[in-house]
Amino acid sequence: MDQYCVMGNPVEHSRSPRIHARFAELCSQPMAYGRRLVPIGAFAEGLAAFRSEAAAQGDTARGCNVTVPFKFDAASLAQHTSERATLAQAVNTLRFEADGSIHADNTDGIGLVNDIVRNAGVPLAGRSLLLIGAGGAAAGVLGPLLDAGAARIVVANRTLDKAIALVQRHAALALRHGATLEAWALDEVPGAFDVVINATASSLAGDAVPVSAQVLRPGALAVDMMYGPAAAGFMAWAEAHGAVARDGLGMLVEQAAEAFEFWRGVRPPSAQVLAELRASLAAGA
């Protein structure tokens, strides 16, 4: 049996096992996927233990997802890293090769793009985007948003220097796509946008939305990368100001689909699984 897992701390809340089990069922892929709680500061040891324990059972560890706080640790262990993961300086997916080497990717950004474009039906090409935040979540999605053809992206953050650093790291990619890429402080964001993405922890903490409603164009899409109750405040704010609100559940499923294809070479029916998951959560399951 090929084994996969999600590694993090905490990790018991993760819906990844449920999502990947459904992907495997629908795609007839013989694999197992579990959760592994890893002590802080011991990611390398946790990864080695996962691989050795699978081998002891007669199975093969083929890869893993990585969640907080280990995305930077994972990046340092890989021998091969995708361009988008290199730009993000963080990794959420590892694939173990037969020669023992590790390939790393970050599927968060393409997951967000696919959810916006495919599931929400909102094209990003030629649009103006506001990305709120400049931490790891924002870093993971900026590159794929540029690849999607956005004409202008503003990165707004409480600490302006952090936003500037993120923008500078992506300057060459923006130039390649002919996109305008800017960094602003949260209270100085100029203009209104077609798409507004909240990549801060404000929703998780129950804090107020960190930008003015003036950033929302009429009918704009406003996406919170959190989902469930954590996203409720941001979504209510967006809808109250005439925007179309969306949570991060679709991003979660779509980034998992990218990881699944990275591992198995098969594209799972992510839209079907997202619809099933939304229905299940609505029913309280």
Side-chain angles (χ1 to χ4, degrees):
M1 179 70 72
D2 291 344
Q3 288 199 23
Y4 301 86
C5 70
V6 56
M7 305 179 74
N9 190 329
V11 77
E12 64 275 2
H13 66 285
S14 176
R15 298 188 184 278
S16 293
R18 178 176 181 177
I19 293 169
H20 282 286
R22 185 61 173 144
F23 285 165
E25 179 183 15
L26 292 170
C27 296
S28 301
Q29 293 293 302
M31 55 180 280
Y33 189 109
R35 299 180 184 89
R36 290 183 74 95
L37 178 67
V38 178
I40 302 297
F43 180 77
E45 294 83 354
L47 194 66
F50 171 54
R51 300 178 77 173
S52 63
E53 288 170 20
Q57 297 170 18
D59 295 339
T60 303
R62 296 291 187 186
C64 70
N65 287 130
V66 183
T67 187
V68 292
F70 300 118
K71 293 185 178 184
F72 301 107
D73 301 82
S76 69
L77 294 177
Q79 285 74 47
H80 308 279
T81 306
S82 68
E83 180 185 19
R84 61 194 182 195
T86 300
L87 276 174
Q89 295 184 352
V91 159
N92 77 335
T93 305
L94 298 176
R95 185 178 70 207
F96 310 142
E97 303 296 345
D99 63 3
S101 64
I102 299 176
H103 282 241
D105 196 7
N106 190 314
T107 65
D108 286 333
I110 190 62
L112 174 64
V113 167
N114 287 344
D115 183 54
I116 291 173
V117 176
R118 297 177 184 175
N119 299 328
V122 176
L124 293 174
R127 298 297 184 93
S128 63
L129 278 62
L130 172 62
L131 181 61
I132 308 170
V141 303
L142 181 53
L145 290 171
L146 287 165
D147 287 335
R152 178 192 182 211
I153 300 180
V154 167
V155 179
N157 195 56
R158 182 167 284 105
T159 305
L160 180 57
D161 286 349
K162 199 169 183 180
I164 291 172
L166 183 58
V167 164
Q168 289 177 338
R169 197 160 78 234
H170 288 76
L173 182 61
L175 183 64
R176 189 191 312 169
H177 288 295
T180 301
L181 185 58
E182 309 166 32
W184 290 86
L186 286 173
D187 57 355
E188 297 178 354
V189 176
F193 300 83
D194 300 309
V195 179
V196 174
I197 300 165
N198 184 24
T200 72
S202 60
S203 296
L204 195 61
D207 296 337
V209 176
V211 293
S212 163
Q214 293 178 352
V215 303
L216 297 168
R217 284 185 178 160
L221 177 68
V223 182
D224 197 313
M225 288 171 63
M226 300 294 177
Y227 64 91
F234 180 87
M235 294 177 69
W237 168 84
E239 291 172 349
H241 293 94
V244 177
R246 189 170 185 84
D247 69 4
L249 189 65
M251 174 185 172
L252 175 70
V253 173
E254 292 293 346
Q255 66 81 24
E258 287 290 322
F260 189 89
E261 186 173 16
F262 181 59
W263 293 327
R264 309 298 295 181
V266 178
R267 184 73 189 184
S270 51
Q272 176 185 339
V273 174
L274 174 59
E276 291 173 356
L277 186 56
R278 284 203 186 279
S280 176
L281 293 176

